[in-house]
Amino acid sequence: MITITDDGAAVLGLSLDDPDNSPSVRQKAEQLIDQLPREFSSPAGTAGVEMPPPGSRQEWQDDQVQLRVGTLDDSPATR
């Protein structure tokens, strides 16, 4: 899923099926959250359970997530 936030940033959403709460799926999520920002030239990424994508930079910073990599600067995204 790809969404655009209120302040013009692109957000990529990825879903991993994990009905059994498997440690191997958590490990795969950790690998992806490290890999995907590099592949998409993104400054940061987060991973959580059943979370909608953030609608703004503030939501991204406020979200309670299980995994977080990188940082966002304070300037709004360019359009």
Side-chain angles (χ1 to χ4, degrees), residues 25-68:
V25 174
R26 165 84 183 202
Q27 188 175 45
K28 181 64 175 176
E30 290 171 355
Q31 291 170 348
L32 288 169
I33 201 66
D34 285 333
Q35 174 186 345
L36 290 173
R38 287 192 307 270
E39 286 186 21
F40 288 91
S41 300
S42 173
T46 62
V49 176
E50 296 295 327
M51 297 181 66
S56 68
R57 180 177 301 272
Q58 187 63 48
E59 283 182 24
W60 190 93
Q61 292 170 340
D62 291 344
D63 278 347
Q64 299 298 312
V65 297
Q66 284 77 28
L67 303 170
R68 185 181 297 270

Side-chain angles (χ1 to χ4, degrees), residues 2-43:
I2 298 175
T3 60
I4 304 298
T5 65
D6 294 343
D7 48 1
V11 176
L12 170 67
L14 174 67
S15 180
L16 297 175
D17 189 28
D18 186 20
D20 300 320
N21 200 24
S22 168
S24 65
V25 174
R26 165 84 183 202
Q27 188 175 45
K28 181 64 175 176
E30 290 171 355
Q31 291 170 348
L32 288 169
I33 201 66
D34 285 333
Q35 174 186 345
L36 290 173
R38 287 192 307 270
E39 286 186 21
F40 288 91
S41 300
S42 173

